[in-house]
Amino acid sequence: MQVVRAGLSFHRLAGIFITHLHGDHFNGLPGLLSTMALERREAPLTLVGPAGIGEYLDTLGRLRILFCNYPVQITQFGVEAFCDREEAEVYASARFTVVTRPLEHRIFSLGYRIAERTRPGRFNVERARELGIPSGPLFGRLQAGHSIGLPDGRVIEPSEVLGPPRPGRSVAYCLDTRPCSNATALARGVDWLIHEATYTEELVDEANSYGHSTARQSAEAARAAGARNLLITHFSSRYADPLPLLEEARAIFPGATMAEDLMVIEF
Ligand SMILES: [Zn+2]
Ligand SMILES: [Zn+2]
């Protein structure tokens, strides 16, 4: 329903990354998968999540609750998956990669970083013309990072017509978790860190025992990671007005933003 309300297309959805098997984080999954079946999806879907998620979907299928007529490629992780590595790449396309690390929650929970690959520098058309390069396929070759030969024997290197490579944009998604080094590692230098802030600092003991973070702790994670922006979310329902959470985060990380349903952030 939120995909429709946000004006997004199910057909462009390539992957779903589930953090953990608490209802507020995955109860919507069977409905979403079923809706895409009704929309006649045919393209394969990548689904990543904690161990057990495959069995859960299989059971719904066996009970004829869930019908999925397109291929779903499921990758599951448990604690043992991280015995000999810190991080796993779970998705890679020409434009993006997604990596995951385990967080620290009451049950096994995964955090994710979605990162755009480094983009080539801007193509300087004027400079290309000055060098006498005919527009057409040779422009494309240079743009793709290949050197080209001209009819007069000169060789043009991409660096002669391309600006410096542009770093890709990135987002880290860290919930549910208490403060942990893997959350900071996922958030290292990202453009946006989306971090849970379930409680205010008054309830720090409660946060710790339930495997959650306070708003202050989420801001400290953003600062420690050198994240450019922080979006806090996952507020306890005890806060009818979540403003105190935002104020607490802003005392540590002044640019912090509070998530709202269907919020749009451009960067
Ligand atoms: Zn949870
Ligand atoms: Zn939760």
Side-chain angles (χ1 to χ4, degrees):
M1 288 172 71
Q2 296 297 68
V3 168
V4 171
R5 285 177 187 144
L8 300 173
S9 161
F10 290 113
H11 296 289
R12 294 188 60 198
L13 186 61
I16 300 178
F17 305 91
I18 300 288
T19 57
H20 64 298
L21 301 183
H22 276 158
D24 53 326
H25 297 262
F26 86 110
N27 274 349
L29 183 61
L32 176 56
L33 295 177
S34 300
T35 299
M36 288 195 286
L38 291 174
E39 296 262 320
R40 298 202 162 79
R41 184 188 178 101
E42 286 174 3
L45 180 79
T46 295
L47 176 65
V48 181
I53 198 160
E55 197 183 334
Y56 166 71
L57 294 176
D58 283 349
T59 304
L60 293 182
R62 208 174 52 244
L63 296 174
R64 296 171 186 266
I65 292 168
L66 173 66
F67 293 93
C68 229
N69 43 10
Y70 49 91
V72 180
Q73 292 153 356
I74 303 180
T75 310
Q76 308 183 73
F77 291 93
V79 189
E80 70 292 341
F82 297 93
C83 288
D84 54 355
R85 59 178 167 182
E86 290 182 316
E87 168 171 300
E89 187 176 270
V90 290
Y91 184 82
S93 72
R95 282 189 63 198
F96 296 98
T97 60
V98 181
V99 298
T100 185
R101 285 176 182 245
L103 302 176
E104 289 182 21
H105 192 39
R106 280 204 306 296
I107 59 169
F108 184 70
S109 182
L110 294 162
Y112 294 95
R113 181 176 62 245
I114 299 118
E116 195 179 29
R117 294 184 191 276
T118 304
R119 294 168 294 166
R122 286 185 203 286
F123 190 81
N124 188 337
V125 179
E126 254 171 52
R127 179 79 190 121
R129 295 234 166 87
E130 279 168 21
L131 289 166
I133 305 165
S135 52
L138 290 178
F139 274 32
R141 298 263 318 148
L142 284 163
Q143 222 155 1
H146 305 288
S147 51
I148 57 155
L150 293 179
D152 61 11
R154 279 182 299 145
V155 173
I156 308 289
E157 297 298 331
S159 57
E160 295 179 65
V161 292
L162 293 183
R166 289 170 290 170
R169 291 157 288 189
S170 55
V171 175
Y173 189 86
C174 297
L175 54 145
D176 292 349
T177 188
R178 58 172 79 87
C180 67
S181 58
N182 272 345
T184 318
L186 285 169
R188 182 78 56 212
V190 291
D191 292 288
W192 279 90
L193 166 60
I194 303 170
H195 199 287
E196 71 138 284
T198 307
Y199 301 110
T200 53
E201 196 62 19
E202 256 169 41
L203 296 174
V204 65
D205 292 338
E206 197 148 346
N208 190 49
S209 58
Y210 287 113
H212 285 299
S213 301
T214 66
R216 182 195 167 93
Q217 289 170 332
S218 71
E220 285 168 346
R223 195 171 63 178
R228 284 191 193 86
N229 298 285
L230 169 66
L231 183 68
I232 57 170
T233 185
H234 200 275
F235 314 128
S236 161
S237 58
R238 80 177 60 222
Y239 302 102
D241 173 12
L243 208 60
L245 293 150
L246 182 63
E247 283 166 358
E248 187 176 295
R250 282 189 173 165
I252 305 287
F253 194 95
T257 307
M258 186 167 72
E260 287 165 37
D261 283 351
L262 298 174
M263 186 177 205
V264 175
I265 293 174
E266 282 191 45
F267 66 101

